Amino acid sequence: DAIAVSGGPGSFTGLRIGSATAKGLGLALNKPLIHVPTLDATAYNLFGASGLICPIMDARRNQVYAAFYMWENGKLIRLTDHMAESIERVIEIAEMLEHEVIFLGDGVPVHRERLEQNPAFLFAPAHCNMQRASAVATLGAIMAEEGLAKPGNAFELIYLRKSQAEREREARLAKEEFCGEVHAFAAAWSEQELAETLRYADHVVFNSFAQWKTFRPLVKKAEEERGISIECGLRLNPEHSEGAVPIYDPCSPGSRLG
């Protein structure tokens, strides 16, 4: 016997509460834990579906947690890494795969209007959008047979990105404890997050001219409040690719990372 746990990505607090509970039960019952990725369990809701499957979870900050899957000989195959990306990047990857894609998850209602612009994108029934304990248990049983059960002290969650509190703490500590220049970069900025970061950062890197134009007033305001000049950079796409798989390549044509 083992305890199957939905191990992320997802809400930081929810993941920690769930894993702490599972670890406590595992310790008390002397049972190992099985880490079932939340996106894998969500994709499992469409058991046996033909075509590609893409669960998307609303990650806030204009991002989603996502991955692409397909069923092959009765087994769910993950085709990409788990990712925290903008919906535009997920759509870009889906279009590169050149196949019908079924979207599901709590991110669908948030981004459905944008997704509906592509006729090759389909949507799972609404009742399939939420994570199910039964899917976690079923995948957990399969993974247990594959020898993937681990003791509680080896169990790790999938976060994909640091929490906003952690990022802000790192910027503050860099300024207060190391007394050096603070350089800040993020794949996606929210107004609140950037405003907090600008209290400490000396140099901020943006991904696009549009991002720079959107947040330029915040930078100017922080400069006035702190009485300094904050340097801003723009990440460039060198268009030199080292990766073999285009959908993982940040230097691919049209990449939002530069």
Side-chain angles (χ1 to χ4, degrees), residues 9 68 71 124 130 189 210 225 232:
F68 288 83
W71 285 95
M130 303 306 294
W189 291 107
E225 292 176 346
C232 293

Side-chain angles (χ1 to χ4, degrees), residues 95-150:
E95 291 175 342
M96 290 173 62
L97 295 174
E98 298 183 341
H99 205 289
E100 285 190 342
V101 181
I102 305 173
F103 286 89
L104 72 160
D106 63 16
V108 168
V110 179
H111 300 287
R112 186 174 187 123
E113 183 176 346
R114 175 65 182 89
L115 293 168
E116 286 178 332
Q117 296 176 20
N118 190 319
F121 294 166
L122 309 176
F123 301 97
H127 68 271
C128 294
N129 281 337
M130 303 306 294
Q131 299 88 19
R132 294 177 177 172
S134 58
V136 174
T138 302
L139 275 176
I142 294 172
M143 295 171 73
E145 293 178 356
E146 296 174 348
L148 298 177
K150 298 179 180 180

Side-chain angles (χ1 to χ4, degrees), residues 33-224:
L33 272 58
I34 302 173
H35 178 161
V36 179
T38 306
L39 289 167
D40 294 22
T42 305
Y44 202 86
N45 288 348
L46 298 181
F47 183 88
S50 60
L52 302 181
I53 302 169
C54 181
I56 56 174
M57 299 168 58
D58 184 17
R60 308 293 177 87
R61 295 173 51 231
N62 298 314
Q63 288 188 319
V64 293
Y65 299 127
F68 288 83
Y69 302 80
M70 67 179 296
W71 285 95
E72 188 174 277
N73 299 322
K75 185 175 182 179
L76 185 66
I77 307 297
R78 189 170 74 241
L79 304 176
T80 67
D81 290 335
H82 302 114
M83 63 187 91
E85 291 283 2
S86 71
I87 191 63
E88 295 299 331
R89 177 56 177 160
V90 173
I91 289 172
E92 179 184 339
I93 294 171
E95 291 175 342
M96 290 173 62
L97 295 174
E98 298 183 341
H99 205 289
E100 285 190 342
V101 181
I102 305 173
F103 286 89
L104 72 160
D106 63 16
V108 168
V110 179
H111 300 287
R112 186 174 187 123
E113 183 176 346
R114 175 65 182 89
L115 293 168
E116 286 178 332
Q117 296 176 20
N118 190 319
F121 294 166
L122 309 176
F123 301 97
H127 68 271
C128 294
N129 281 337
M130 303 306 294
Q131 299 88 19
R132 294 177 177 172
S134 58
V136 174
T138 302
L139 275 176
I142 294 172
M143 295 171 73
E145 293 178 356
E146 296 174 348
L148 298 177
K150 298 179 180 180
N153 60 5
F155 181 85
E156 295 183 354
L157 295 167
I158 297 176
Y159 288 123
L160 294 186
R161 70 184 189 198
K162 296 177 181 178
S163 68
Q164 180 174 334
E166 287 177 289
R167 291 190 296 271
E168 292 172 358
R169 180 174 180 271
E170 287 179 351
R172 185 176 68 255
L173 287 177
K175 175 63 72 175
E176 296 175 352
E177 300 296 330
F178 295 96
C179 303
E181 288 190 358
V182 176
H183 291 239
F185 167 78
W189 291 107
S190 70
E191 184 173 340
Q192 178 183 354
E193 180 185 37
L194 181 60
E196 179 66 24
T197 302
L198 288 172
R199 295 172 57 191
Y200 311 102
D202 302 289
H203 188 108
V204 180
V205 177
F206 295 101
N207 271 323
S208 66
F209 285 108
Q211 198 178 55
W212 157 240
K213 290 178 181 177
T214 298
F215 294 120
R216 185 174 182 177
L218 276 182
V219 176
K220 294 297 183 183
K221 180 180 178 182
E223 288 178 326
E224 293 172 0

